[in-house]
Amino acid sequence: MNKPVAIVMIEDDHGHARLIERNIRRAGVTNEIIHFSDGASAFAYFKRIESEPADMNPILVLLDLNLPDMSGIDILEYLKNDGHLRVAPVIVLTTTDDQLEIRRCYDLGCNVYITKPVDYEQFAVAIRQLGLFFSVIKVPDPLNA
Amino acid sequence: MASFRDIFTLFRESRREAALLGAAASVLIILTTFSFWLSHRLEDGSRTGAEMNRYYGKLGRVARMMRTVESSQRGYLLAGTEQYLRPYNELHSQLVPRTKSLIESAPSALEEKERLAVLLNLMMRKADEMAATVADATNERRDATIARLKENYGVKLSEQIEENINALQDEATEKREEIETNAAELREIKTIVDVIGGVAVLAFSFLSIWFLMKSNAALTKAHKALEKTNNDLEDIVRHRTAALQRANDEIQRFAYIVSHDLRSPLVNIMGFTSELETLRKELFERLEKANALADADVLSKDFDEAFGFIKSSIARMDRLINAILKISRQGSRPLHSELIEAKALVETVVSNVAHQIREKDGRITVGDLPPVLSDRMSMEQIFSNLIENAIKFLKNDGHGEIKIEGYLRGVDVVYSVSDNGRGIDPRDHQRIFELFRRAGPQDVPGEGMGLAFVSALVRRLGGSIAVESALGIGATFKVTLPGTAAQNRGIAA
């Protein structure tokens, strides 16, 4: 019953994805990281979870807002309005630090909003803390929710 | 254009109307004068007519008097009693003077002056004749009297006198009738003139009313045209403003997007540079262990230098992007107009930078600042940027001084921040307000965006900013903001 949590990372910038992954690993988090570089492939994956939920692990979503084919806000909205996926924690990790944007994400139900700092030290610290967050957070299985 | 032509036409028509009304007035004046003259003539005529009547009566009275005296004379001659002589005694002496008075009082219109002279002559002879007969009768010379009577001299004289008087009376009657005929004609003319005058007055009144209505209609038309032009103008202004607003919005969106998209690759560059640094550390450690490197120190220094430049450049680029972001964000932030006690606001700003002033060992004074209706956050940022700038460029000699003052100029509110710092070359007065541009020796940290930011803020509040400065003397920045009424409009727009 207690399947390991999969981290779904939706990030169009491969460099960012790589840096995030490295820092998560450095924080000692070993969970599977599934990377999508656009909104459409992420949607396809979510649809698959819905159709055969039993085969899938519970997920935690790392979301970038600036995607090439759609806005991350659309994905957030979709997740939080879905019967099963609603329980998955969503961490918005993006370059935008506009207060209105942040407010909007929290209003839509995002759990954490992190701005990617240009300063790498800060960036690394933020991701590692996120790793710590992963290790303590209890992610509910959508099937039991 | 249409309205200008309308106004011109109106002007031209009004001139034509004025000319017409002037002509009408002249016609009325001529008619009235003519009518007045006719009345005068009529009056003259009736006076002459009355005079003729009176003269007619006078002539008759003289004739009657002569007859009375004559019959008294005859009665006396027949009866011989003094009783008959009384009228004679009474009136005989008046005959000649009365006739003379006829000459004197003859109306000028009467043309028969010669006949009057003849009449006087006849009257004098008649008076003499009667006096002679009465004298003969009184002196008992009846034979002489009878003889005189038989000559019929007296009767002939009487007849001639009466003839003349009748002729004169006819003449007077004729004259009077002539005058009356004349007067009837004049009266007829006067009636016609008066009727024409009345009609003219009515016609001109209608004409004036018509002109008035027409000019009123034209005026209304012109007014409407003007109103339309005005509305069109407002429309044009509204369209231009909207276009400008759109362009402005676009620039802001552009700045916003660019700054975000620039940031993404920057995160990578910085991230992987750090990763490289970590790798380098490991590499050098391994090389040292293998003792493969003789001059590891030099190589290490070169690496450090390269990383240092990359990192500082990235940091700088990040600051620039943040600056652009800040300005673009400022432009899209909604403004809230409120009455601001500028002195209190500036004192808060000053207290926030107190430690920086202490570091420079400078002094800062805040004068009496007039309140202003404006956006609080913008005002705070304007003052804090200007004051921080002033502190930055103060001299380190302990005599640094910053003054913040304010006053009203017409409907505008002017605030000034002056320092006695190193000043700005007049050549750079324009540049310093541009983004990322700085002036003077680059020994103070900064991105060159403070004044660009302030200038954008002031512009947004509907004001303007100017600098007065010379090298080595200090600088005064003057912010002019629109006063209450004008400002309301600026913020509403």
Side-chain angles (χ1 to χ4, degrees):
Chain A
M1 208 57 225
N2 253 334
K3 286 184 229 166
V5 174
I7 297 170
V8 174
M9 178 165 62
I10 307 166
E11 170 66 75
D12 66 315
D13 190 311
H14 287 276
H16 289 194
R18 196 79 193 95
L19 290 171
I20 291 166
E21 199 181 336
R22 278 193 192 188
N23 281 286
I24 287 174
R25 296 284 177 247
R26 274 180 200 145
V29 174
T30 54
N31 300 48
E32 183 192 4
I33 296 175
I34 307 163
H35 176 216
F36 298 104
S37 56
D38 58 67
S41 51
F43 262 120
Y45 179 75
F46 292 142
K47 292 264 157 61
R48 250 179 61 214
I49 295 181
E50 280 173 13
S51 55
E52 31 192 305
D55 299 346
M56 315 300 282
N57 295 345
I59 58 166
L60 179 150
V61 181
L62 264 180
L63 182 62
D64 183 15
L65 292 184
N66 304 315
L67 297 173
D69 56 347
M70 65 181 71
S71 164
I73 299 269
D74 296 338
I75 297 176
L76 177 63
E77 218 169 353
Y78 171 81
L79 289 173
K80 289 301 171 187
N81 286 318
D82 186 275
H84 294 299
L85 297 170
R86 196 177 55 214
V87 295
V90 176
I91 291 150
V92 175
L93 187 59
T94 190
T95 44
T96 312
D97 60 355
D98 185 68
Q99 292 301 317
L100 284 174
E101 201 88 303
I102 295 171
R103 167 93 44 83
R104 205 160 148 224
C105 286
Y106 277 118
D107 284 350
L108 284 171
C110 112
N111 300 75
V112 181
Y113 188 107
I114 295 170
T115 304
K116 292 172 188 167
V118 171
D119 184 332
Y120 187 61
E121 276 312 308
Q122 283 180 38
F123 183 77
V125 167
I127 303 291
R128 276 175 217 159
Q129 279 170 350
L130 201 59
L132 286 174
F133 175 70
F134 292 166
S135 59
V136 296
I137 195 172
K138 288 276 183 254
V139 177
D141 191 320
L143 286 179
N144 301 335
Chain B
M1 265 323 276
S3 63
F4 289 128
R5 213 164 39 223
D6 284 348
I7 289 163
F8 181 66
T9 313
L10 190 69
F11 176 68
R12 219 175 40 198
E13 274 178 9
S14 72
R15 272 184 61 179
R16 212 176 55 198
E17 283 163 17
L20 262 168
L21 286 174
S26 327
V27 167
L28 278 178
I29 289 169
I30 289 166
L31 282 173
T32 313
T33 314
F34 190 42
S35 173
F36 185 73
W37 179 76
L38 283 174
S39 305
H40 205 72
R41 279 284 308 273
L42 274 170
E43 213 176 286
D44 262 4
S46 71
R47 205 184 301 125
T48 315
E51 208 178 356
M52 285 298 175
N53 267 345
R54 270 201 307 278
Y55 199 63
Y56 184 90
K58 226 173 178 177
L59 282 168
R61 277 197 296 280
V62 170
R64 265 198 312 281
M65 186 190 278
M66 190 270 289
R67 282 292 182 200
T68 309
V69 173
E70 193 181 39
S71 65
S72 167
Q73 171 221 13
R74 291 208 184 139
Y76 177 67
L77 289 183
L78 279 174
T81 37
E82 288 281 330
Q83 188 189 344
Y84 283 103
L85 210 55
R86 211 182 311 131
Y88 175 91
N89 286 336
E90 254 172 56
L91 299 172
H92 180 266
S93 59
Q94 289 184 34
L95 279 176
V96 173
R98 278 293 179 97
T99 312
K100 271 184 187 161
S101 119
L102 273 182
I103 293 175
E104 280 157 15
S105 67
S108 51
L110 205 69
E111 279 151 15
E112 309 263 342
K113 305 276 164 90
E114 281 159 24
R115 199 183 283 276
L116 280 168
V118 171
L119 182 67
L120 180 62
N121 185 13
L122 287 170
M123 193 60 87
M124 281 161 90
R125 278 160 63 191
K126 177 74 183 167
D128 287 348
E129 184 263 341
M130 285 193 288
T133 50
V134 167
D136 281 348
T138 310
N139 297 329
E140 299 289 339
R141 287 194 298 256
R142 287 191 68 89
D143 298 342
T145 311
I146 301 295
R148 265 187 215 274
L149 285 175
K150 275 187 179 159
E151 276 170 24
N152 274 344
Y153 176 66
V155 175
K156 270 178 197 152
L157 276 175
S158 293
E159 277 169 2
Q160 275 176 29
I161 285 169
E162 281 203 321
E163 222 168 76
N164 274 305
I165 284 181
N166 282 342
L168 280 166
Q169 279 188 325
D170 285 350
E171 164 87 14
T173 309
E174 205 177 284
K175 274 278 171 221
R176 202 192 63 215
E177 275 167 3
E178 193 183 300
I179 284 163
E180 268 165 14
T181 321
N182 211 355
E185 261 169 38
L186 279 177
R187 226 171 271 124
E188 230 165 76
I189 292 172
K190 188 172 151 38
T191 310
I192 291 168
V193 167
D194 284 353
V195 166
I196 290 174
V199 169
V201 165
L202 270 178
F204 291 144
S205 307
F206 280 123
L207 195 70
S208 311
I209 289 169
W210 183 64
F211 278 154
L212 213 68
M213 278 164 71
K214 209 177 89 172
S215 78
N216 208 21
L219 213 67
T220 311
K221 205 176 130 198
H223 185 77
K224 272 187 186 149
L226 208 65
E227 212 167 65
K228 192 179 171 300
T229 312
N230 212 15
N231 283 342
D232 286 354
L233 209 65
E234 268 176 24
D235 265 357
I236 290 168
V237 169
R238 210 174 296 125
H239 277 128
R240 295 273 153 85
T241 312
L244 204 67
Q245 186 65 46
R246 267 200 304 282
N248 205 19
D249 288 351
E250 221 151 86
I251 288 169
Q252 270 168 19
R253 254 199 311 282
F254 174 76
Y256 184 75
I257 290 168
V258 162
S259 57
H260 274 291
D261 289 359
L262 286 178
R263 218 181 218 179
S264 259
L266 219 53
V267 170
N268 276 337
I269 296 169
M270 195 61 170
F272 286 103
T273 306
S274 299
E275 292 291 321
L276 267 179
E277 248 184 328
T278 321
L279 275 178
R280 178 215 131 194
K281 223 178 268 168
E282 275 179 35
L283 200 67
F284 270 70
E285 275 167 18
R286 285 188 201 178
L287 282 173
E288 253 172 51
K289 270 182 197 156
N291 244 342
L293 224 54
D295 47 358
D297 279 2
V298 181
L299 261 183
S300 171
K301 257 181 206 152
D302 286 352
F303 260 104
D304 283 345
E305 194 188 41
F307 281 127
F309 273 118
I310 292 172
K311 281 183 161 178
S312 67
S313 297
I314 293 165
R316 181 164 154 69
M317 188 139 181
D318 188 42
R319 283 200 302 271
L320 297 184
I321 289 168
N322 279 333
I324 298 174
L325 249 181
K326 193 171 161 194
I327 285 186
S328 85
R329 214 169 265 166
Q330 183 54 48
S332 57
R333 193 177 67 79
L335 297 177
H336 299 289
S337 179
E338 59 178 296
L339 191 67
I340 295 166
E341 289 301 330
K343 189 172 166 70
L345 182 137
V346 170
E347 274 165 356
T348 313
V349 170
V350 168
S351 70
N352 288 339
V353 294
H355 65 284
Q356 295 173 42
I357 299 164
R358 268 198 302 279
E359 269 173 28
K360 284 270 185 174
D361 200 12
R363 280 196 308 127
I364 189 160
T365 51
V366 182
D368 273 333
L369 307 180
V372 69
L373 197 66
S374 196
D375 179 71
R376 177 170 295 277
M377 196 179 279
S378 301
M379 291 291 288
E380 275 171 4
Q381 279 167 340
I382 289 167
F383 278 115
S384 85
N385 272 286
L386 288 179
I387 293 169
E388 275 175 34
N389 248 13
I391 297 169
K392 261 191 211 172
F393 297 105
L394 275 186
K395 292 167 193 158
N396 285 314
D397 54 7
H399 297 297
E401 202 175 357
I402 296 167
K403 272 190 213 147
I404 298 137
E405 285 158 328
Y407 56 91
L408 294 171
R409 193 181 57 203
V411 294
D412 294 336
V413 185
V414 181
Y415 297 112
S416 69
V417 177
S418 338
D419 62 63
N420 57 357
R422 71 187 195 193
I424 303 153
D425 193 316
R427 276 183 316 184
D428 292 326
H429 283 187
Q430 194 72 39
R431 274 182 86 244
I432 51 169
F433 292 109
E434 290 169 19
L435 195 56
F436 306 143
R437 296 283 176 274
R438 308 180 77 204
Q442 300 295 305
D443 53 358
V444 178
E447 304 308 330
M449 74 156 290
L451 285 175
F453 187 49
V454 168
S455 145
L457 285 169
V458 171
R459 255 204 312 276
R460 214 174 157 223
L461 294 179
S464 62
I465 184 165
V467 63
E468 290 160 16
S469 176
L471 274 178
I473 292 169
T476 299
F477 285 88
K478 276 190 180 163
V479 174
T480 306
L481 293 175
T484 337
Q487 199 172 7
N488 273 333
R489 243 178 290 131
I491 283 188

